[in-house]
Amino acid sequence: MNSLIFLILLILSSPSQEEGELVILHQKVQVSGNTSLGKFNCDYIKEGSFDTLKVNNPKAGQALSFQIPIRSFSCGNFILNSDFRSTLKADQYPFAEVKVNNFRQKSGKIYCHLFLDLAGKRLEFPDFILEKRKEGLAGNLILDFATLGLSPPKKLGGLIKVEDQLDLQLLLGM
């Protein structure tokens, strides 16, 4: 009887996830969107950092956190750079902050808790998905301007408009 109870408990208990580590060598954030004239991409890359993150270890309490100077985003030319900075109110909010913690692996994907502080808005995504790629862990987030408390920019009296949707990609390079 005791062995039957033990066997049932063993079958019903969920298998524990294996703990592991991720070594992060660089971070990249890309913001992209569409305008009435075409696509735009604005990138920020932080090289030369070295972080080791624990996976499936809730006791680790470790987070990867980095501040991004809005003026460090590169959009390809000085006009787009200026428009991007103006749209994100870089004079008022000179830094964006990205923080990820609570890394857990399920079904071949890494889930984490993402905090994003951008243009004065603090957003939280408790189950942000990071997929393993050859260059590292990558995750995508779709935001609209209203979520950030911003208005999509317009130029030339509304002739050139930015669509309301922004795509944010986070890459943690390994």
Side-chain angles (χ1 to χ4, degrees):
M1 181 68 167
N2 285 341
S3 60
L4 180 62
I5 292 173
F6 176 74
L7 183 60
I8 291 172
L9 287 175
L10 185 62
I11 291 171
L12 294 178
S13 66
S14 61
S16 63
Q17 294 288 333
E18 187 176 315
E19 289 184 24
E21 293 182 342
L22 301 171
V23 178
I24 306 301
L25 303 175
H26 67 274
Q27 298 98 27
K28 177 180 178 181
V29 176
Q30 181 180 54
V31 178
S32 58
N34 292 306
T35 72
S36 52
L37 294 178
K39 256 184 113 65
F40 69 90
N41 293 309
C42 299
D43 298 332
Y44 169 80
I45 300 173
K46 181 180 178 187
E47 302 263 5
S49 62
F50 179 83
D51 291 294
T52 302
L53 304 172
K54 306 278 186 198
V55 178
N56 296 326
N57 187 345
K59 297 175 189 171
Q62 185 180 14
L64 173 64
S65 180
F66 55 99
Q67 281 195 332
I68 303 169
I70 298 299
R71 296 197 178 282
S72 294
F73 272 95
S74 174
C75 302
N77 65 54
F78 72 94
I79 294 171
L80 287 175
N81 290 346
S82 176
D83 287 346
F84 185 77
R85 293 172 187 153
S86 175
T87 299
L88 293 183
K89 302 179 182 178
D91 291 337
Q92 190 176 359
Y93 305 104
F95 294 95
E97 184 173 357
V98 176
K99 178 180 171 185
V100 286
N101 65 10
N102 191 20
F103 292 88
R104 21 198 222 285
Q105 186 167 0
K106 291 188 241 175
S107 305
K109 295 181 181 176
I110 303 285
Y111 291 78
C112 67
H113 198 127
L114 170 70
F115 299 90
L116 177 64
D117 194 344
L118 182 63
K121 291 288 183 180
R122 184 160 176 83
L123 306 172
E124 215 174 312
F125 304 93
D127 288 314
F128 186 67
I129 299 172
L130 296 167
E131 294 182 356
K132 291 181 182 180
R133 297 185 183 166
K134 65 179 179 179
E135 54 287 330
L137 298 173
N140 293 311
L141 185 61
I142 297 173
L143 298 171
D144 57 34
F145 282 96
T147 301
L148 297 171
L150 302 172
S151 299
K154 298 176 186 173
K155 296 289 179 186
L156 299 173
L159 216 54
I160 302 173
K161 298 178 187 176
V162 174
E163 290 183 12
D164 192 42
Q165 181 176 306
L166 290 174
D167 298 325
L168 186 136
Q169 182 183 47
L170 174 65
L171 175 69
L172 302 176
M174 298 190 292

